[in-house]
Structures are given as structure tokens and as C-alpha cells.
Amino acid sequence: METVRLNPGDWPAAVADASGPQLILAGPGTGKTEFLARRCAYLVEQGVPPRSMAVLTFSRRAADRLTQRIRAQAGGTPPRGVTFHSLAYRILETYAPEHLGWPAMPTLLTGPEQVAVVKDLLSTEPDGQWSPTFRTILTTQTFAREVADFIMRSQEYLVDDEDLAQREAAHPDWRGLARFRRRYLDELKAHGRIDYGTLQAQAVRVLSTEGVVEAVAEQFSYVLVDEYQDTTASQGLMIQHLAAGHGNVAVAGDPDQSIYRFRGAEPGNILSFADDFSHHGPVRTITLAQSFRCPSQVLEAGRRLLGRGHSGNADEVAPAPHHGSVEAYVFSQASEEAEWIAAEIQRMTLTDQISPSRVAVLVRTKRGLLNELSRALSRRGITHNTPDARLVDHPAVRAVFDLAFAAANDAAPLGPTMAAEVDRAVRRLLLGPLFRLTLGAERRALRARYLTDSRWSTILGETFDDAHHLAALLADPSWAVDQPASAGFWHAWTALPQFASVVDVGARSDWRAALASFSQSLGRLYERDPHRSLLEYRRLAESDDFEAEPLLTLGATNQERVTLTTLHQAKGLDFDVVFVADAVEDVFPDLRRHRSLLQPRRLGTQWIEDPATEAAEQMREETRLAYTATTRASRRVVWTSTTAGFDLGNERPSRFLSVVAGREILTGPTAEGDDTPLTYLEAEASLRRMAADPTGPAPSRLAAVDLLVRRPNPGVRPASSFTTIRPKGPDTGVVAPPLRLSPSQAEKYDACPRRYALERRLAVDADYGPYGTFGTMIHDVLELAERAALERGAPRSTREDAAAALEAAFEFYELGVGERRVAWRRRARGLIDALYDEWIRPNARVRLLEHPLSLDIDGVAWIGRADRIEEEDGLIRIVDYKTSATVTTKDDAATSLQLGFYLLAALEDPQILEFGEPAEAELWFPLGRPRPTYRALDPTRLPEIRERLSAIADGIAAENWNPRVSPKCERCSVRLVCPAFPEGREAFVR
């Protein structure tokens, strides 16, 4: 075997010598991918057709990167890098019909779809045929994932039925797996499906067929493989078949960077390369000797991690000539660690001019610090890829899923837990960007569903002006349950105009991109499985690994952003600065011995039964992961850890920290560094601290005040400069036709058009607080009590009805805990007692409750809902409950727009007229002080009220939002943005 140590000046000759088997050992940053790209370019220049070169690597991302490198070196139409699975598919597409008897190429399952098939089959499995260890979890999602992974690995290891049955006999925990795998494969075959593991295994079997291997080897006269240390057993055998006729195979890799053993990668492939290909002639081992990325400081840290006696070639690599640094810090809290990293990244990008795209923060696992890091970066305005940014987790897609889930379950009989899930889905839709309901309006809808036990499709259709399209979607769930997912999504998109309205807004460009990507995903799903519905697709999306290729960027692709990801996902990437964060024991290294229940690694030829030896190999893989992460950096590596996690438990910094730093790690970075403000916000905060420090020198404090108050730069920020304040927009475009109004809207507009526009039209609403919540609860109690009386035919409710209703309603409302909740309950019971002691109309009989009313006034549709319709001595009275403790004056009640509308509409309502002609309308104040009180409408004022309602409709249609100053402005929730007052005027001055 010939061994060559290759310096950069020797590359041209080595690239040109492309014949025979070659093993290219390449340490970090030595250019193994570049070497393969140059060889491809050289072969193209020599007239080798691109289609006769098999250029392989282990992932789509790596294949794209390799293709870009080849294009940069070669002209014309160079060969493309492909994955092993892609090549396997092409081989089967060509040869499987003849050699396997397939009438057509099967549909390729994604990982979650494979798990779903396994779970369905496990649900019908007899318990007695499985190991007692797993019988209790046989039908769980967790066990389905374990079995699916086991089947995948068994196919990659090329274990046939007979071999698996023999191994099952030696491992009691595997009882039932051989028979189940056969059942699973038969199920896939019957439905024309195939998984990735079977795809690769079948490709290897076809390549082993006489005639096929010669034809394929003749087609591919050169085989080039990148990241060979990450290949599986079946992939290694595939390469041997591809090069069987000529032996022109070049594989590049680094044993020290083999980190995918848990996915079936066989580090032994690269170690046994010489033996596997020696029959083709002398095997050349080429060691790339010069790192173009890692300086001596980074390489030395990596070598310290590997220690002596490792199998790779880290000691053979010469460092890059530039200077670098390696640091390690320990913090007292995880939040402190995240904040320091974010601040350090901000400092580097501003002072050192390091591009954010050249900075990475890597963690061992997505659980733990990753989300805290993301929040810390966001607080500083540092653009970064959001962790776990799967397409199916985007709010736009989640809205579609909520819609499908609510439609499928709205009419179904549900238990309390499932009903609550449906309620949450609908509430997210109502409060989200599609409808933007206020919390108060959403609460009223939820209360209506709670009181009437009605379907959401009914509640929405009767409650909100622009929700009839949503109600129609919920009423007919066939689009979500019966139609293909792509057709169901198209139906929802076209049936709900709010989707188009939202994506037309410039600020929602991410919604446009996400829904477009989602539509493409559903199109691909239809090609794989045309019968899967949108609801089933949602169920798949709940899987943690679904859409494993995350949608990292929904904005402009040229935007610079910090990479925030896991150590494994950073493989193959390079950065100027790398932070390895959350490096604590039991997280990194992760030495849990039972990460897999079935341990499919035992199927491999390199499995070691000795637990101590296997544990040592596991530690070596964690060490290789630490080495790979460290050597991603070209300038600076920073390892960080904490002594207390999010649960405030004691943590121990990872054993890797002191090894990387080459010294004992004691504490985090000191506060003695340069604390000069870097941003405008930091400068302002520094000046404010200086001005407020009573111990500071008086001249400094005065100078700080002077800069903050009187100087134009930086000056005190106007309200319009805060990020939460949007630029001033037009006053028009708030109301969309057709115009539908309610009496409560009329009263809001009559009180103040500006407040009405902000609160009711633009979804700016104040919190009810406990008093408002209490009043709403009393409203519900009265309705529940009267409804109980109405259902049993009683003329009116009793104190006992109200007490029972109170107990039922009290559990629904959040009125504090402990003694505070007891006090609210006591107050409610006292109010009920007072109300029934002094009932206003003891002889009245309830006829209708929560009765919908409608009226057309000058072409405008008005709708409302009367709390109570009662009859007393032949007189029909309309009643509206008011839960405010402040009682309306008699004069205001006499001309009440709400009562006037109710009486006007009731006079035209056939259902009410069956009981008699309505003659009165009243406001009831059960919380009135000192006693329950009522106020009556003056029916002689109805013509005047109709004119006022018509004028209000004209004002809203014309979008006249001029503020109306009154004593109520003192308690107005939107006064801070009202141009009638100095504090709100600033937001509208430019």
C-alpha cells in the first residue's frame, strides 16, 4: 500500500492521478471536498462524461455543497453530487422491474410515515408474541419509533429474515421482531411502498445480481465519495459494487470525525478500505497535510481532546498560518451563559466586523439552552436561524392545522380533554392574525359555547360579523378528513378570505413563504400518498422528527444570520467563531447507555458485547463529536458551561472544558473588560444609570442628564421610535364591506369614535381585571339559572338554581387562588342572596334567553343578542344584564341605543311576537349599589334612537374616527395613543 503526505503544492499531480483505489485522509479544514471537486473538474477537462462519474456523499446538504464546489472548478455541465439514497433509487428504477419483478417503482416513505405504518401494525399485534419487557408499551408512539429504527438498521446491515431469526433467538428482548419485520415488509409491498432502509438494501441486492453489477460499473467509470467515515455497511458494499469493474474509486474522510454511529455509520469502512479494494491493485493512501482553516491553537485543542493513541491522522495535519484562540468559561446560571454569548456576538459583529453568518453557536441537544440562546439573541436584534424552525411549526401552517383539527372534531362527541383541545385550536385562530379578535371578544365567544354547549360553527356564525366563512368550514369537515391533503388545503385557502388578506400585508411575508412551501410539501405528499388527508398530515407533524430538514430561512436568502444549531447538524460547515454552549456533564458527553430500547447496533459486525468496551467506544464517539465541533472554527473557539441549570440543580462543567482550554477552568469571564456602550440602546441605558447613581460625581450626573434631555443626539427617544410602535398609517381602510353592526358597537362609537376604532376595529383592548371577570361570571350565573328554570317549565329561577349555577361557573373563571378566591366566592354568594331577596320582577316569566335579534336600518344590517325576554301580565319586556357596579342614569337609560335597538328589532321578530307585542326594555344591574337596580327605556324615543343608529352607521362607513373628549377619557384604556391628549399626540406627529 502506497502512502503519500500531500502538501498544497503537490495537489495538481495528485488530482490528475485518478486511476485505481485511493483513500484520502483529510483532517479538519484540509480541503477533502475541494480535492474531490478538483478531481471531478480534471476528469471533465479530460473528456470524461459527467454522467459516468458517481459523486456520492451522505446528505442532501452535503451533496449540494459538493455540487457547488464542482461547479466552481469545472465549466460546462459538471457532474452533480448525489446521496446514496438518490443513487439507490435510480438503480432500482432501472433494474428492479426485471430483477425484482416490480410493476412500478414503490412510493418512498418519509421517516414519520414509516413510524405511522409501524404503529398501525403494532396496534393489532398479539401481546404474547413479544418480549414481556415491551408488552406494556407495544402500542405507544415511542415503541413504534424504536421498532421502525430497528427495521431501518437491519436493512442497512443487510440482515435477511433467516439471519434475523437466528439473532432473535440469542437476544430474548428481540422476540417477535423477525416475524413483525416480515409482516411490515409484506404490508409495504402490498400497498406499493418502500422505506429508505429497504430502498438501500434492495439496491445492494440488485447490484449483486449477475449482469447488473457489470452494467452499472460500466456506466460509472469513476466513483468519488465524500465523508466516507459516515457511510453504513450497505453503502460501503454499494461502493464496492459500483467500482467492481474498474477500481477507480476515491473516498475522502477522517476517522476522527466519525460521529453518526447512532445512525448506523460504520467507522470501520474507512479503516478496512485497503482490504476491501486491494483486489483492484495497490491502494494509495493520500494524507492532506495542510489545514486551510484551523490555526495551531485550534488544532492543538482538538488533539488534546483526542488524546494519544487515536486512530485518525490529526497529528499529521499542519496548522493554518493565522492566529486563533481557544477559551472556556463557566457561569453560575444558564441564563447568564446565554446572555454573555449574545452580548459577545454583538460585540464581535460591531467592533471586529465579523459577519453574523460566520458565527455559530452549537449545542449537544435541542433540549435545554437552545431556546434561551435564541431569546437572548433576539433581544439584541441579532438575526439568527430559529431553533427547530420546522415548516410545520410555523404559525401560518399551525393555523391550517388548527382549522383542520377543529373542523374534524367540532361536531363529534368528545371527552373533556379533547373538547378543551378543540377550544384551544379555535381560540388560537380567533386571536391570531387571521381574525385578530380582542381577548374580550374571544372570551365572549368561549362563554357562549360554554353556556349553550353549542358547536363552534354555530357560535361563530351568530357571534361575529366576518366569521361566517370560518363557520362554514367548521360545519363541513370533509375537506379536512376525506379529501387529499393538498385539495383540503386549497379548499381552506379559497374558502377563507382572511388567508389572502393576511399574506397581502408586507409584514407577513413569512406567512406567504411558509404557506407556499407548505403547498409544495402537500404536493409532494400527494405524489407519495394521494389518499392521506390534511388531518392525517397534521398527526404526522406532531412527530418530533417530522420535516427533519428545517425551514431555517423564510426571509431573504442573502440575509446575514448567526447559525444556532446542534453539534451534529454543524458537520461539514466552517465558521470564523464557534461557541460550544451548554457543555455540562451528562449532556456533553452524553453517556447514557440505553438511548435505544432495542439497540439495533447489535446487528452490526462491529458490535462489541462487552459493556465496558462498548461504553468506551461510546465515549470515543462523544470525543470525536467534541473534536469535530471545535475544529469548525478558523479564528476563535469558545466553550461555555454552567454550575446551575434551568431547574437550579447543581451542574458539573463537562470534562471537555479543561481539556480544550489546556488548564483548569474556575470561573466565567470577569467584568474588567471594556464596558464602552456599543449600541444606541446601551448608550442610553448607560447615561440613565449614570444620572440615577446617587454616589456618582455631580458633574457626570449633570452631563448625563444634559445629554438625555437637551442634546439632540442621542436625545430622549420619542414614542414613535420604539420598536412596538408602528409607523402612522391612514385612518381609512379599517372597515371592510359589507357593513354589519351591533348596538354595543353603536354605544362605543357614540361615546368616542376614536376609541371604538382602536378597541373594536383594530383589536386594542384593555384587560378586564378581576372585577370585570367577576361581573362576567355573574352574567353567566343568571343565564344558567334562568335556563334551568326554562327547561323544566318553571316561571323563573330559584335561589337554589342560582347557587348551583354559581358553583358550575366559578370553576370556569380565574379569580385568584387561596384566600382571594374564597373571598370572591363569598362575595358572589352574598350578591346572589341579595338579588333573590329583592328580585326586581318576581312575577315575570322567562320566555327566551340569549335570543338573537336583527334589524335593517337604511340598508345596514344590525345584529344583537338579548339576554332575557320575559312576560309579565301579558306585557313583553326585553332585558339586558349589566354587570357594572355603576348604574346608568335614568335619562341615559331612557335613550339607550342598546335598549332601543332591542325593542325595535323585537317588534319585527316573529318568535317574540308569538308571546305578544314587546312594550318595554330594561337594563338590569345586579351589582348595583346599594341594591340591585333596573333602568327602563322610554319607548316614545324610538324614532330618535333609529335616527341616531342610522347616523352612527354613516359615521362608521365614512370612517370618521375623530376623538370625542368627555369625563370618561380619564379612564380610557387607549388614551396613550389618542391625539386629543399630549401623551398620545406624540405618536401621530412627524
Side-chain angles (χ1 to χ4, degrees):
M1 183 174 68
E2 180 185 357
T3 301
V4 178
R5 191 171 186 272
L6 204 64
N7 291 310
D10 304 325
W11 273 39
V15 166
D17 189 359
S19 61
Q22 299 177 20
L23 172 62
I24 302 163
L25 294 176
T30 54
K32 61 180 182 298
T33 304
E34 182 69 15
F35 186 91
L36 293 179
R38 292 190 184 186
R39 168 143 318 161
C40 289
Y42 171 80
L43 293 174
V44 170
E45 290 175 1
Q46 298 305 306
V48 177
R51 63 178 178 274
S52 68
M53 285 181 267
V55 185
L56 299 167
T57 189
F58 75 105
S59 72
R60 285 189 303 240
R61 187 176 65 179
D64 290 341
R65 229 174 19 248
L66 180 55
T67 300
Q68 292 172 8
R69 292 283 187 89
I70 296 172
R71 285 176 177 170
Q73 294 292 334
T77 307
R80 290 180 53 85
V82 298
T83 64
F84 284 93
H85 292 106
S86 177
L87 181 60
Y89 193 93
R90 287 166 52 190
I91 291 171
L92 290 177
E93 200 173 31
T94 304
Y95 298 104
E98 177 183 353
H99 296 277
L100 296 179
W102 291 357
M105 195 62 190
T107 300
L108 189 58
L109 295 178
T110 64
E113 290 170 336
Q114 179 192 9
V115 173
V117 173
V118 170
K119 190 173 187 299
D120 289 343
L121 292 177
L122 285 173
S123 66
T124 60
E125 280 285 291
D127 295 351
Q129 297 189 18
W130 288 81
S131 166
T133 306
F134 303 123
R135 288 175 187 173
T136 58
I137 62 171
L138 198 63
T139 59
T140 64
Q141 182 77 8
T142 298
F143 191 65
R145 282 197 291 262
E146 290 284 342
V147 173
D149 183 63
F150 184 92
I151 294 173
M152 175 85 73
R153 303 308 162 208
S154 69
Q155 295 287 61
E156 290 178 344
Y157 290 130
L158 303 176
V159 177
D160 58 24
D161 291 346
E162 182 180 353
D163 189 10
L164 183 57
Q166 292 176 356
R167 293 173 185 240
E168 180 184 303
H171 298 287
D173 283 353
W174 288 359
R175 178 181 171 185
L177 281 170
R179 179 194 53 78
F180 181 81
R181 189 183 77 157
R182 183 70 267 158
R183 182 189 173 199
Y184 162 81
L185 294 175
D186 290 342
E187 175 75 11
L188 294 192
K189 183 177 180 181
H191 290 86
R193 297 179 175 185
I194 193 171
D195 61 42
Y196 279 98
T198 307
L199 175 80
Q200 199 156 275
Q202 293 286 19
V204 171
R205 292 186 177 107
V206 167
L207 284 173
S208 304
T209 306
E210 184 177 354
V212 175
V213 65
E214 292 82 5
V216 173
E218 183 178 347
Q219 177 184 351
F220 296 112
S221 54
Y222 291 90
V223 179
L224 302 97
V225 185
D226 197 10
E227 305 291 1
Y228 190 62
Q229 77 280 352
D230 294 321
T231 54
T232 64
S234 58
Q235 290 167 352
L237 192 55
M238 181 186 292
I239 294 167
Q240 294 181 43
H241 288 315
L242 292 174
H246 48 74
N248 297 328
V249 55
V251 302
D254 181 4
D256 293 329
Q257 297 187 62
S258 178
I259 59 175
Y260 289 107
R261 185 169 173 261
F262 68 96
R263 288 186 181 174
E266 291 286 0
N269 284 349
I270 199 168
L271 301 178
S272 63
F273 179 84
D275 295 334
D276 294 338
F277 292 90
S278 59
H279 58 282
H280 290 294
V283 176
R284 278 175 293 166
T285 299
I286 300 173
T287 301
L288 301 184
Q290 175 69 56
S291 177
F292 301 99
R293 178 172 69 226
C294 300
S296 59
Q297 295 82 2
V298 175
L299 275 183
E300 284 300 322
R303 289 165 182 160
R304 288 195 295 271
L305 283 167
L306 294 175
R308 296 182 179 180
H310 65 275
S311 59
N313 66 321
D315 294 336
E316 302 287 331
V317 178
H322 61 272
H323 180 77
S325 66
V326 178
E327 306 153 45
Y329 301 113
V330 176
F331 298 86
S332 60
Q333 297 288 340
S335 57
E336 180 188 7
E337 178 184 4
E339 288 295 330
W340 181 83
I341 291 173
E344 190 67 5
I345 292 175
Q346 185 177 51
R347 187 197 64 77
M348 289 188 303
T349 55
L350 292 175
T351 62
D352 300 339
Q353 297 298 300
I354 296 177
S355 168
S357 63
R358 299 298 301 162
V359 180
V361 185
L362 311 180
V363 292
R364 177 65 177 85
T365 175
K366 294 177 181 178
R367 296 181 297 274
L369 193 64
L370 198 62
N371 288 319
E372 181 67 24
L373 283 165
S374 179
R375 288 189 290 269
L377 292 169
S378 297
R379 281 191 290 269
R380 285 170 171 76
I382 301 172
T383 307
H384 62 284
N385 57 280
T386 306
D388 288 343
R390 305 182 307 166
L391 172 61
V392 294
D393 288 331
H394 190 276
V397 179
R398 300 309 301 183
V400 177
F401 284 164
D402 282 340
L403 192 59
F405 178 72
N409 295 283
D410 188 36
L414 304 173
T417 302
M418 195 67 170
E421 286 291 331
V422 175
D423 289 345
R424 281 193 287 270
V426 176
R427 292 170 68 189
R428 284 193 294 267
L429 286 169
L430 296 178
L431 294 171
L434 290 176
F435 292 92
R436 299 178 62 201
L437 285 189
T438 64
L439 285 173
E442 177 268 333
R443 191 73 175 183
R444 288 192 292 272
L446 184 63
R447 186 174 68 250
R449 173 169 164 79
Y450 166 75
L451 292 171
T452 62
D453 197 25
S454 301
R455 297 168 53 179
W456 273 110
S457 55
T458 304
I459 295 296
L460 295 176
E462 296 178 353
T463 307
F464 303 116
D465 300 344
D466 57 350
H468 53 283
H469 294 101
L470 175 60
L473 282 173
L474 298 184
D476 180 12
S478 60
W479 63 272
V481 178
D482 301 326
Q483 296 184 18
S486 55
F489 172 61
W490 179 249
H491 178 81
W493 171 265
T494 54
L496 199 65
Q498 283 80 4
F499 274 122
S501 300
V502 167
V503 300
D504 279 344
V505 179
R508 294 287 175 186
S509 60
D510 62 318
W511 275 57
R512 282 198 303 274
L515 290 175
S517 298
F518 183 58
S519 177
Q520 294 171 5
S521 296
L522 295 182
R524 291 193 295 268
L525 173 69
Y526 184 82
E527 294 174 358
R528 298 195 309 269
D529 189 351
H531 304 294
R532 194 173 293 278
S533 69
L534 194 59
L535 188 67
E536 292 174 313
Y537 189 79
R538 174 190 177 275
R539 181 168 56 86
L540 285 177
E542 301 303 321
S543 170
D544 289 340
D545 57 353
F546 188 72
E547 294 284 358
E549 191 71 25
L551 188 67
L552 294 179
T553 305
L554 288 171
T557 56
N558 60 352
Q559 189 176 21
E560 298 286 344
R561 59 183 64 227
V562 173
T563 298
L564 182 59
T565 187
T566 64
L567 298 170
H568 283 98
Q569 290 178 340
K571 176 68 184 298
L573 304 177
D574 68 275
F575 305 93
D576 289 344
V577 181
V578 168
F579 293 85
V580 181
D582 198 24
V584 298
E585 282 293 310
D586 298 328
V587 174
F588 191 30
D590 182 0
L591 300 178
R592 292 172 295 172
R593 296 183 59 186
H594 300 291
R595 285 183 290 182
S596 172
L597 294 174
L598 298 174
Q599 299 187 54
R601 280 289 301 165
R602 292 187 290 184
L603 293 167
T605 57
Q606 299 179 21
W607 169 259
I608 303 169
E609 288 290 348
D610 178 40
T613 306
E614 180 60 25
E617 175 54 35
Q618 189 174 342
M619 181 62 207
R620 282 193 288 271
E621 180 162 2
E622 291 292 297
T623 301
R624 292 195 293 269
L625 183 58
Y627 171 77
T628 303
T630 298
T631 54
R632 295 304 91 203
S634 63
R635 293 177 57 177
R636 183 185 181 196
V637 181
V638 183
W639 281 63
T640 63
S641 180
T642 60
T643 56
F646 288 103
D647 57 358
L648 301 183
N650 291 329
E651 304 279 8
R652 288 186 299 119
S654 169
R655 66 191 73 180
F656 292 144
L657 257 72
S658 58
V659 177
V660 167
R663 57 183 173 81
E664 189 68 23
I665 305 300
L666 299 176
T667 183
T670 64
E672 298 175 358
D674 184 10
D675 59 354
T676 302
L678 299 175
T679 66
Y680 175 80
L681 290 178
E682 288 182 358
E684 181 180 309
S686 177
L687 289 171
R688 291 185 183 278
R689 285 195 300 270
M690 188 183 301
D693 183 7
T695 64
S700 298
R701 296 179 64 192
L702 288 172
V705 171
D706 183 61
L707 282 171
L708 286 168
V709 177
R710 293 196 293 175
R711 302 295 185 189
N713 188 13
V716 178
R717 289 175 292 167
S720 59
S721 72
F722 284 83
T723 57
T724 54
I725 302 298
R726 294 182 178 181
K728 180 185 177 182
D731 278 357
T732 58
V734 176
V735 179
L739 188 62
R740 298 178 70 191
L741 299 175
S742 67
S744 63
Q745 291 188 51
E747 291 193 334
K748 279 276 189 182
Y749 184 88
D750 190 55
C752 178
R754 194 77 182 185
R755 183 174 183 179
Y756 164 79
L758 289 169
E759 290 188 346
R760 295 299 296 269
R761 291 291 177 175
L762 298 180
V764 177
D765 201 1
D767 187 10
Y768 281 154
Y771 292 95
T773 301
F774 180 78
T776 304
M777 182 188 70
I778 295 301
H779 184 290
D780 292 348
V781 167
L782 294 177
E783 181 181 345
L784 284 172
E786 292 301 305
R787 191 175 295 279
L790 187 63
E791 290 175 353
R792 67 171 183 266
R796 51 158 291 184
S797 63
T798 64
R799 188 190 309 269
E800 290 71 23
D801 292 330
L806 175 61
E807 292 304 316
F810 198 80
E811 299 302 321
F812 181 75
Y813 288 93
E814 297 178 2
L815 287 168
V817 295
E819 290 299 323
R820 179 172 297 181
R821 189 170 180 82
V822 171
W824 281 115
R825 186 191 294 267
R826 185 165 53 247
R827 180 178 180 184
R829 286 174 175 168
L831 186 145
I832 293 296
D833 289 339
L835 190 62
Y836 278 83
D837 286 340
E838 306 178 38
W839 189 261
I840 301 174
R841 303 292 185 194
N843 298 321
R845 180 183 183 89
V846 176
R847 290 299 186 183
L848 297 169
L849 292 170
E850 285 293 315
H851 183 67
L853 293 168
S854 60
L855 184 66
D856 183 280
I857 301 178
D858 297 333
V860 175
W862 290 79
I863 58 172
R865 186 179 293 270
D867 293 335
R868 174 189 180 99
I869 312 292
E870 65 178 22
E871 179 185 359
E872 183 179 15
D873 300 329
L875 182 145
I876 303 300
R877 181 184 299 114
I878 316 297
V879 175
D880 188 64
Y881 301 135
K882 292 297 183 183
T883 55
S884 170
T886 303
V887 179
T888 301
T889 66
K890 292 181 179 181
D891 290 341
D892 287 343
T895 57
S896 167
L897 293 174
Q898 193 161 19
L899 290 181
F901 164 79
Y902 287 152
L903 194 53
L904 287 168
L907 289 169
E908 299 181 15
D909 189 289
Q911 191 173 357
I912 297 177
L913 292 174
E914 290 180 4
F915 303 110
E917 183 172 330
E920 293 184 359
E922 292 180 347
L923 298 174
W924 284 12
F925 292 86
L927 301 182
R929 295 175 181 174
R931 56 192 300 177
T933 308
Y934 75 92
R935 290 286 185 261
L937 173 77
D938 182 358
T940 63
R941 311 290 290 271
L942 286 180
E944 173 191 339
I945 292 173
R946 179 185 284 271
E947 291 181 4
R948 288 173 60 197
L949 290 174
S950 179
I952 287 170
D954 292 341
I956 294 176
E959 300 192 274
N960 178 3
W961 313 129
N962 293 326
R964 183 168 299 152
V965 178
S966 73
K968 295 181 180 180
C969 293
E970 293 297 326
R971 298 183 300 277
C972 179
S973 61
V974 295
R975 176 169 172 164
L976 289 176
V977 291
C978 178
F981 294 91
E983 57 266 41
R985 195 174 299 129
E986 183 181 13
F988 301 94
V989 176
R990 290 293 184 270

